Amino acid sequence: MSTRTQFNLVQWLHETPETREDVARAFFGFLITGIFIVIGALALYGLLFSGIAKKSIHSVAAKPLMVFAIDDEEILRMLQDHAPEKKNMWKLLEEVASRLIPLGFVVWCCGRWAIWKEKLANLFHLSFIANIAIGERAIAAITITTAVATSVAFGLVHGGVNNIFIQGLIGFWCALCFLKMGGIKGEYAWGLACSTLLHILLNESYEMAM
C-alpha cells in the first residue's frame, strides 16, 4: 500500500462527520455500499463454493437485491441456516462485543499512551519507551488491524470459515462505520448507534437477497 493511500485512509477515518447532514450523508454511503457488499459477498460465495452462480432475470425480479442466483440447494440451505438473527437486541449485543469493546479499548489505550509511556519508562528504566509516539497513522493501523481480526472471528462465529466471506465482510464494514462515525475519536456511543443501525439494515438486505 502506498504512502498516499495510507495517508488518505488515516485522514478519512479521522474526519468524523460533525453536522446532522454530514452524519446522514456518511451513514447513507455506508448503507448503500454495504448493500453492494452483501450482494457481492453472496455472489462470490456462490462462485467459490457452488460454481453455479449465474444471472437470473426471474431472481432479480423476485428478489431485487440478489443480482446473482445461487442454484445449488445445499449452498442455499447452508446460507439460510447461517442467516443473521432477526432480534435487534442481539445485534446491539453483537456490536458491543465485536466493535465497542475491542475497538473502543484499542482507541482508549492509544489515547492514554502519552501518559503511560512516561510511567513505563521510569518503571522499567527504559528511556527509549518515552520516545515512542502513537500518532494518527499508528492509531488507524492498530484499529484497522483489530477490526480485521474481530471481523474474521465474527464470520467464524456465524458459521465457520466459509462465512468469513459474508458475515466477516459485513462485520468489517460495521467496524469501519463504528470508527468513522466517532469511535476512533472516543465518541463510542455515537459510533455504536450508527454501527448497530447499519448492522440491522444490512442483515435485512441479507434476508431480502436470500
Side-chain angles (χ1 to χ4, degrees):
M1 185 180 291
S2 66
T3 302
R4 182 177 179 80
T5 303
Q6 290 177 338
F7 173 77
N8 288 341
L9 178 60
V10 172
Q11 187 178 36
W12 177 77
L13 277 176
H14 283 272
E15 288 179 348
T16 56
E18 300 293 339
T19 66
R20 292 181 181 179
E21 291 76 12
D22 290 340
V23 170
R25 191 180 300 112
F27 184 81
F28 184 74
F30 271 106
L31 177 60
I32 296 301
T33 307
I35 290 173
F36 279 102
I37 290 174
V38 171
I39 295 171
L42 288 171
L44 176 63
Y45 191 96
L47 288 168
L48 291 178
F49 297 103
S50 74
I52 320 176
K54 64 181 183 180
K55 278 194 173 182
S56 171
I57 296 176
H58 178 275
S59 176
V60 173
K63 301 175 181 179
L65 291 179
M66 190 57 181
V67 179
F68 293 88
I70 302 175
D71 294 336
D72 189 293
E73 292 184 2
E74 183 178 351
I75 297 296
L76 277 173
R77 185 165 54 254
M78 195 283 291
L79 287 172
Q80 290 166 351
D81 290 341
H82 294 149
E85 293 284 344
K86 293 184 178 180
K87 295 180 180 179
N88 292 338
M89 182 56 68
W90 180 246
K91 309 292 190 307
L92 175 60
L93 294 177
E94 284 185 332
E95 287 301 307
V96 170
S98 301
R99 254 67 74 180
L100 176 61
I101 292 176
L103 295 176
F105 179 73
V106 167
V107 171
W108 182 80
C109 288
C110 289
R112 282 152 182 75
W113 175 247
I115 299 174
W116 292 351
K117 67 179 182 179
E118 297 291 343
K119 294 181 178 180
L120 290 173
N122 294 330
L123 178 63
F124 296 104
H125 304 288
L126 298 173
S127 58
F128 74 89
I129 294 179
N131 298 322
I132 299 175
I134 299 181
E136 289 187 348
R137 288 192 181 188
I139 293 174
I142 295 170
T143 52
I144 289 175
T145 300
T146 305
V148 171
T150 56
S151 298
V152 170
F154 190 73
L156 290 172
V157 169
H158 279 76
V161 176
N162 294 347
N163 262 49
I164 294 174
F165 291 94
I166 301 175
Q167 299 291 348
L169 284 174
I170 294 174
F172 181 70
W173 195 240
C174 288
L176 287 183
C177 180
F178 171 81
L179 294 170
K180 173 68 176 177
M181 303 304 277
I184 199 165
K185 291 186 176 180
E187 299 170 0
Y188 305 127
W190 192 235
L192 179 64
C194 291
S195 66
T196 301
L197 180 58
L198 181 66
H199 189 164
I200 292 170
L201 294 176
L202 291 183
N203 278 3
E204 289 299 324
S205 72
Y206 184 108
E207 291 292 329
M208 292 175 66
M210 292 305 299

